[in-house]
Amino acid sequence: MTAFDLVLAVAKHHHNCEQVFLRNRDEKEESIGRPSDQVQEEAFMKFCAFLDANDEYNSDLQLSAGADYIKASWLKEFKATSYSINWTPKDHGGTYTMDGGNNISYTITDLQPCTDYTVTVQPMKNSSKEGLPLTATTTTTIADPDPKLKVVTVKSQSSTQLFVNWTAAQGVGNCCVTYLITWGPASKAHGGGSATTTSLNYSITQLDTWTIYHVCVAAQTRTDYNKDTCADGRTDEDAPGPPVITSVVSSSFSSIRVSWSSPENPNGIITKYNVSWTWEGNKDHDITNDTTTSCTITDLTPCTNYSVTVTATTSKGYGPESKAATGTTHSKDPDPVTGVNVNNYTDNSTLLDVSWSEVQDVGNCDVTYKITWSPASNGDGSNTTTTTSLSYIITQLEAWTTYHVCVASKTNSSYTSGTCMNGTTEEDTPGPPVITSVMPFSFSSIKVSWSPPENPNGIITKYNVSWTWEGNKDHDITNDTTTSYTITDLTPCTNYSVTVTAATSKGYGPESKAATGTTDSKDPDPVTGVNVNNYTDNSTLLDVNWSEVQDVGNCDVTYKITWSPASNGDGSNTTTTTSLSYIITQLEAWTTYHVCVASKTNSSYTSDTCMNGTTDEDTPGPPVITSVVSFSFSSIKVSWSPPENPNGIITEYNVSWTWEGNKDHDITNDTTTSCTITDLTPCTNYSVTVTAATSKGYGPESKAATGTTDSKDPDPVTGVNVNNYTDNSTLLDVSWWEVQDVGNCDVTYKITWSPASNDDGSNTTTTTSLSYIITQLEAWTTYHVCVASKTNSSYSNDTCMNGTTDEDTPGPPADTRIHSETSHSLLVAWKPPEKPRGIITNYTVTWNPSSVNGNNSDHVNGNITHYNITSLEACIPYIIKIKAATIKGYGDQYIEANGTTSDKPPEATQKVTCDPPTIPRYLTVSWSTIRSSCPVRRYSVNYTGRVLWSHNNTHDSRCTDSIYVDLKNLTSWTTYNVCVAGVIANDIVGAWNCCQATTLESETSSPVKPLKTG
């Protein structure tokens, strides 16, 4: 029975089918009839006995890449004599053929970095393909660019831009290259910038005009840039900035000199300057200057302020004007004044009118005229004034007096010589007398004294005395030529204003300067009509009023008010006023005070006039909360002390409380100083205030105090649900209803779970939500899930429910075994997956290479764990993979095993020869080749020796690929029986054939004679 028949028999036995269709390597199907049941059972038993002799086999192609190479490694194909290696893409690909079936790695070099390559290894037997090709894909790694870029050029684009371009970095293949551009003024170590790009050019903007910049470019593909490649470039010229005028200086009354410094930003080469000037907003002229930085402007007007600006130009044209600067031409000295006239006034003997002609030829200079005068008998010019007008009235002159008057002019610091003329004043009335004293004689009289006028302007004939008080003229009298007078019948404490006038033949002159005098004060009588009243709307005030004292004239009266509690009449509180009433403040409510009033007009007060008064009752001050203590989860106890200032008899207290800014309630308490607030919410912070009341009503609230009710233990959790996820077999969704009747307490939920078969709650978590997703569970597993809650330190009893995770794709089958007793079939057996993750619906068995009928896979019912693969080629190694499936599909994992179809054991070699020994402890054995339907993979050599000089025996074995063997390190003088057999696929050993030889006697061996036996 062949291996092909064995696989076919097992497959048909377990599938109970009459026909098996196998796909051969030419993709043709073959129909094979059903073997007998006995053949099927024999094939299956032989296959199971063979399973332990096979190892797993993997022929995957492994690739490892560098920047310019890929190393390919693969497992040996037994029949291959060479391997053909091919790599793509074509522009960077190639082909290489490597001789020798034992060479199982190759390094492909000279590749492009950052490039995707597909590598195919085709085993070859001579010039034909042997087996399926192995294909894998990888990408070469990133390579650093060459140390420096080859070319960098910098060109001007404008006065503020430079254009930089460069050659591409070398040695980077298809890697993405980033270029770093850095720049800065060549003359400075700072003030530059940087940018990155993946292009091969870059425009640098916002640069300074007409400036040389040092520009560098470096490249990178990973983290570090290569060395800079640098070049210099200059920006273009532009119109210059404004010059800066440093000075505008007058040269004379008709010229000014202007100096300036070059523009801070010349932006090129300055070719010339233009100077413009204006006065009073009118442009006067401008001139174009060469590159010198000063010029003198001429033909100007004296004393004129000019505004000057300067502009500079380059090859790009004129820039903006400088900031304007001003300069004023010098003044020009005038000629002496002409046309001076001096005239008097017939109706005023103290004035002279002086006039003159305007000076000429002084431009815009301000002209000042100086007038000097003195009595003609004293020409020292002791009186002087100035004006810019062409006339002046001299005042305060002596009547009927001749004066010498002179006029001079100037435009700067020096006056011209004076032009002079005389003039005489008219006669007049006398000047005012001078009052020397106004003295009080009593509280009803004053005495006035004076001296004659300083300018009598004639003979004094009489005097007139007048007096007033507070603007009211009281009286006047005409006196003779004496210079004093006593005024009587006056009012006490009254200030009188007194004037005196003198008369000549021209009549009365002006009044003297007024002088004042005050009559003495008069002591008042004691105060009368004192009243003390309280305020019904203010308990801290008393209103005190009294009658005005009489018969003191205009004397200022000061009233002194003193008060103290009637029980302490020391008058420790005092104030003064000039009014006839006073409001005493800051008093204690509902208290009797002793109040006194006295008056004075000078330094001494009269005796006191006194009366008692009582303040009104008031609302009390705030109580002081001493404690707010929780009694339970629904009550708190509040305690307080009475107001520090009760301001009357406390009649009751009111307690109010709020939570989170909302007023909850208030209660009215009697005069006790504590109360318990009930019907509150658990775990809630309450703010409590207390107010006190007298007959006047409630006073202000106390300072708020806070207290929090206790927490309340929740009932066990209800509404627990455990649901799985149809799209995720590792999750369970646990939800429950919110616990009730716990107020504002924070509720923590504890979730515990374990497989229902192991309900120890070893997995635990907590949450404040009403649901939780349990993760990292096993698929298709029932879990016991419990939920408990707490508001303080202890959890409630658990509420539990079971939930089962959804099915999932299974793990790989286990413990695969392969057996073959024919050359055309393999029997595969396995165990179900260790992790089925659901109900196994079926298995898929795939094998490579395909059967001769083209098949390479088949399906097996989920309750069957073996399969016979038939229609296989003899002596061929097969890779067999098995996958399991649930209703969720096949698992990603599979179990893989290797098996080789085999034939009957090989025949014995026709001849085995033991060559006569020539070396001690050494034998050479050779044999002829063996006839077999499958290739002989190796020869097994067993040799047993009988030691001729002892009772011992020795045995050993070895394998070889050749048709001879050298047996070394044998025992001397020992007869060896050497047997040889061929070994084919699946380690099937053929028939043995033997030869015999005796090793040489060693020189040191002892004894030298054989031992007797029997």
Side-chain angles (χ1 to χ4, degrees):
M1 182 178 183
T2 65
F4 186 89
D5 292 333
L6 175 63
V7 175
L8 177 64
V10 175
K12 290 187 175 183
H13 173 70
H14 289 284
H15 286 272
N16 194 25
C17 57
E18 294 298 327
Q19 291 278 328
V20 175
F21 290 89
L22 299 178
R23 190 178 301 277
N24 61 22
R25 293 186 179 180
D26 298 327
E27 299 299 310
K28 295 181 180 179
E29 290 188 348
E30 296 181 8
S31 175
I32 303 172
R34 178 176 179 179
S36 66
D37 291 341
Q38 181 179 358
V39 172
Q40 294 178 37
E41 292 298 330
E42 289 176 356
F44 180 73
M45 296 303 296
K46 291 179 180 180
F47 173 80
C48 294
F50 181 71
L51 290 177
D52 292 332
N54 286 278
D55 296 323
E56 292 185 356
Y57 176 71
N58 189 335
S59 62
D60 287 344
L61 174 62
Q62 303 294 326
L63 301 181
S64 60
D68 59 354
Y69 71 89
I70 295 174
K71 182 177 181 181
S73 302
W74 57 92
L75 293 180
K76 176 182 176 182
E77 173 64 41
F78 291 109
K79 293 184 180 181
T81 59
S82 64
Y83 294 92
S84 175
I85 300 99
N86 175 268
W87 57 97
T88 59
K90 293 182 179 179
D91 55 343
H92 302 303
T95 300
Y96 178 76
T97 299
M98 186 170 62
D99 294 331
N102 293 325
N103 295 323
I104 55 173
S105 66
Y106 179 70
T107 300
I108 307 169
T109 59
D110 297 326
L111 301 182
Q112 293 289 331
C114 302
T115 302
D116 294 332
Y117 286 91
T118 299
V119 180
T120 301
V121 177
Q122 173 64 60
M124 304 294 292
K125 184 174 182 181
N126 299 324
S127 60
S128 300
K129 296 181 179 179
E130 176 66 25
L132 297 177
L134 305 177
T135 300
T137 300
T138 189
T139 303
T140 49
T141 59
I142 297 173
D144 289 324
D146 289 348
K148 293 188 71 173
L149 302 177
K150 291 185 177 180
V151 178
V152 173
T153 60
V154 183
K155 297 180 181 179
S156 173
Q157 281 186 310
S158 69
S159 61
T160 61
Q161 293 184 338
L162 288 174
F163 181 74
V164 188
N165 57 9
W166 54 89
T167 55
Q170 300 299 309
V172 294
N174 293 312
C175 298
C176 179
V177 182
T178 300
Y179 297 96
L180 171 68
I181 306 97
T182 57
W183 63 88
S187 59
K188 300 179 182 178
H190 54 83
S194 64
T196 59
T197 182
T198 57
S199 301
L200 295 178
N201 58 71
Y202 184 77
S203 291
I204 307 174
T205 61
Q206 299 180 340
L207 302 178
D208 292 333
T209 301
W210 196 239
T211 302
I212 296 174
Y213 282 86
H214 189 60
V215 183
C216 296
V217 183
Q220 68 146 200
T221 55
R222 284 185 283 197
T223 56
D224 297 326
Y225 284 95
N226 63 5
K227 294 182 180 180
D228 286 337
T229 302
C230 303
D232 289 346
R234 183 195 287 272
T235 51
D236 199 4
E237 284 194 29
D238 202 352
V244 178
I245 298 177
T246 55
S247 66
V248 179
V249 180
S250 176
S251 299
S252 68
F253 60 76
S254 62
S255 63
I256 55 177
R257 183 171 181 78
V258 185
S259 299
W260 60 89
S261 60
S262 300
E264 184 178 356
N265 296 313
N267 298 336
I269 300 172
I270 303 298
T271 58
K272 59 184 175 181
Y273 294 97
N274 187 74
V275 183
S276 299
W277 60 94
T278 64
W279 63 278
E280 295 183 1
N282 302 308
K283 186 168 183 180
D284 201 342
H285 209 63
D286 63 354
I287 58 175
T288 300
N289 204 36
D290 55 15
T291 57
T292 58
T293 56
S294 65
C295 75
T296 300
I297 306 171
T298 58
D299 297 328
L300 303 180
T301 302
C303 297
T304 300
N305 184 270
Y306 289 89
S307 177
V308 183
T309 58
V310 182
T311 54
T313 184
T314 65
S315 63
K316 294 293 183 177
Y318 279 104
E321 283 186 330
S322 68
K323 185 177 180 181
T326 60
T328 304
T329 50
H330 287 328
S331 63
K332 183 179 180 183
D333 291 333
D335 295 329
V337 178
T338 59
V340 175
N341 283 298
V342 181
N343 299 305
N344 65 14
Y345 286 82
T346 58
D347 58 349
N348 194 322
S349 61
T350 65
L351 305 178
L352 285 175
D353 183 22
V354 185
S355 61
W356 54 90
S357 300
E358 184 177 15
V359 295
Q360 302 298 313
D361 196 25
V362 291
N364 292 312
C365 296
D366 293 328
V367 181
T368 301
Y369 298 94
K370 180 178 71 173
I371 305 97
T372 58
W373 68 94
S374 64
S377 58
N378 182 17
D380 59 1
S382 58
N383 296 285
T384 300
T385 191
T386 60
T387 183
T388 57
S389 301
L390 297 177
S391 65
Y392 183 75
I393 298 173
I394 304 174
T395 63
Q396 298 179 348
L397 300 178
E398 295 293 331
W400 200 242
T401 303
T402 299
Y403 288 87
H404 187 64
V405 182
C406 297
V407 181
S409 64
K410 73 172 183 178
T411 57
N412 45 36
S413 59
S414 300
Y415 283 99
T416 63
S417 56
T419 300
C420 302
M421 179 174 277
N422 286 344
T424 302
T425 56
E426 284 284 340
E427 189 179 23
D428 204 353
T429 57
V434 178
I435 297 176
T436 56
S437 67
V438 179
M439 300 294 294
F441 253 31
S442 68
F443 61 77
S444 61
S445 63
I446 55 176
K447 182 176 181 179
V448 184
S449 299
W450 62 89
S451 60
E454 185 177 355
N455 296 312
N457 295 333
I459 298 172
I460 300 301
T461 58
K462 57 184 176 181
Y463 293 99
N464 186 72
V465 181
S466 299
W467 61 93
T468 63
W469 63 279
E470 295 182 1
N472 303 309
K473 189 168 183 180
D474 200 344
H475 209 67
D476 65 353
I477 59 171
T478 299
N479 199 34
D480 54 17
T481 57
T482 58
T483 56
S484 65
Y485 181 75
T486 298
I487 306 171
T488 59
D489 298 326
L490 302 180
T491 302
C493 295
T494 301
N495 184 272
Y496 289 91
S497 178
V498 182
T499 59
V500 180
T501 55
T504 65
S505 60
K506 288 285 187 176
Y508 280 102
E511 284 185 329
S512 68
K513 183 177 180 181
T516 60
T518 302
T519 50
D520 287 339
S521 62
K522 182 180 180 184
D523 291 333
D525 295 327
V527 176
T528 60
V530 175
N531 284 298
V532 181
N533 301 305
N534 65 15
Y535 285 81
T536 57
D537 58 349
N538 194 322
S539 61
T540 64
L541 306 180
L542 284 176
D543 181 23
V544 186
N545 58 70
W546 52 90
S547 301
E548 186 177 16
V549 295
Q550 301 299 313
D551 198 22
V552 291
N554 292 311
C555 294
D556 292 329
V557 181
T558 300
Y559 298 94
K560 178 179 72 172
I561 304 95
T562 57
W563 68 94
S564 66
S567 59
N568 181 16
D570 61 358
S572 57
N573 298 286
T574 300
T575 191
T576 61
T577 182
T578 58
S579 301
L580 296 176
S581 66
Y582 182 75
I583 298 174
I584 305 174
T585 63
Q586 298 179 344
L587 301 178
E588 296 292 330
W590 199 239
T591 303
T592 299
Y593 287 88
H594 186 64
V595 183
C596 297
V597 183
S599 64
K600 72 174 182 178
T601 57
N602 46 37
S603 58
S604 300
Y605 283 99
T606 63
S607 58
D608 286 334
T609 302
C610 301
M611 177 172 277
N612 286 348
T614 302
T615 54
D616 199 9
E617 194 176 22
D618 202 354
T619 58
V624 177
I625 297 177
T626 56
S627 67
V628 179
V629 181
S630 174
F631 251 33
S632 69
F633 60 77
S634 62
S635 62
I636 55 177
K637 182 174 182 179
V638 186
S639 301
W640 62 88
S641 58
E644 185 178 354
N645 297 312
N647 296 335
I649 299 171
I650 303 298
T651 59
E652 62 185 7
Y653 293 98
N654 187 74
V655 182
S656 299
W657 59 94
T658 63
W659 64 279
E660 294 183 359
N662 304 308
K663 186 167 183 181
D664 200 343
H665 209 64
D666 63 355
I667 57 174
T668 300
N669 205 37
D670 55 16
T671 57
T672 58
T673 57
S674 67
C675 78
T676 299
I677 305 171
T678 60
D679 297 326
L680 302 181
T681 303
C683 297
T684 301
N685 184 273
Y686 288 89
S687 177
V688 184
T689 58
V690 181
T691 54
T694 65
S695 61
K696 288 291 185 178
Y698 279 99
E701 282 186 328
S702 67
K703 185 177 180 181
T706 60
T708 303
T709 50
D710 289 338
S711 62
K712 183 180 179 183
D713 291 332
D715 295 328
V717 178
T718 59
V720 175
N721 278 300
V722 182
N723 299 306
N724 63 17
Y725 284 80
T726 58
D727 58 350
N728 194 323
S729 62
T730 65
L731 306 180
L732 283 177
D733 182 21
V734 187
S735 63
W736 53 90
W737 294 340
E738 186 176 17
V739 296
Q740 302 298 313
D741 197 25
V742 292
N744 294 311
C745 297
D746 293 328
V747 181
T748 300
Y749 297 93
K750 178 180 70 173
I751 305 96
T752 58
W753 67 93
S754 65
S757 60
N758 180 19
D759 192 14
D760 61 359
S762 57
N763 298 286
T764 301
T765 190
T766 60
T767 182
T768 58
S769 302
L770 296 177
S771 64
Y772 182 76
I773 298 174
I774 306 175
T775 62
Q776 299 179 340
L777 301 178
E778 292 293 330
W780 195 239
T781 302
T782 299
Y783 286 87
H784 188 62
V785 183
C786 298
V787 183
S789 63
K790 72 172 182 178
T791 57
N792 46 35
S793 59
S794 300
Y795 282 98
S796 65
N797 293 331
D798 284 337
T799 302
C800 301
M801 176 172 279
N802 285 351
T804 302
T805 52
D806 198 12
E807 288 194 43
D808 203 347
T809 56
D815 196 17
T816 301
R817 297 171 181 269
I818 301 175
H819 181 69
S820 173
E821 289 189 355
T822 74
S823 59
H824 301 290
S825 65
L826 289 173
L827 179 63
V828 186
W830 61 89
K831 292 181 180 178
E834 293 182 4
K835 293 184 177 180
R837 301 192 181 105
I839 299 172
I840 302 300
T841 59
N842 58 282
Y843 296 94
T844 292
V845 180
T846 61
W847 56 92
N848 185 31
S850 301
S851 305
V852 294
N853 59 8
N855 292 339
N856 66 352
S857 67
D858 201 356
H859 299 290
V860 180
N861 190 280
N863 57 3
I864 298 175
T865 56
H866 57 269
Y867 182 75
N868 189 24
I869 307 172
T870 61
S871 299
L872 302 179
E873 290 190 26
C875 305
I876 296 298
Y878 284 87
I879 300 171
I880 301 171
K881 298 179 181 179
I882 305 169
K883 273 189 177 182
T886 65
I887 59 172
K888 293 292 184 176
Y890 282 98
D892 292 334
Q893 297 176 319
Y894 57 84
I895 187 167
E896 182 176 300
N898 299 322
T900 304
T901 53
S902 63
D903 204 346
K904 61 184 179 180
E907 297 177 357
T909 179
Q910 293 183 356
K911 183 180 180 180
V912 177
T913 303
C914 293
D915 294 342
T918 59
I919 301 173
R921 302 180 66 187
Y922 190 99
L923 286 177
T924 297
V925 182
S926 61
W927 53 89
S928 61
T929 57
I930 295 175
R931 293 170 55 190
S932 176
S933 59
C934 290
V936 175
R937 295 193 174 186
R938 64 184 183 277
Y939 294 95
S940 178
V941 180
N942 288 341
Y943 46 99
T944 302
R946 182 169 58 85
V947 182
L948 299 179
W949 45 270
S950 71
H951 295 290
N952 296 327
N953 291 322
T954 179
H955 178 77
D956 204 348
S957 65
R958 60 181 297 179
C959 292
T960 180
D961 294 334
S962 60
I963 58 174
Y964 72 93
V965 66
D966 291 326
L967 303 178
K968 303 177 183 179
N969 299 320
L970 301 178
T971 304
S972 301
W973 202 28
T974 299
T975 300
Y976 281 93
N977 188 46
V978 182
C979 297
V980 179
V983 181
I984 63 173
N986 297 326
D987 292 333
I988 297 175
V989 180
W992 299 88
N993 195 0
C994 306
C995 68
Q996 195 173 78
T998 301
T999 55
L1000 294 178
E1001 182 179 350
S1002 175
E1003 295 179 356
T1004 58
S1005 295
S1006 179
V1008 296
K1009 295 182 178 180
L1011 297 175
K1012 293 182 178 180
T1013 60

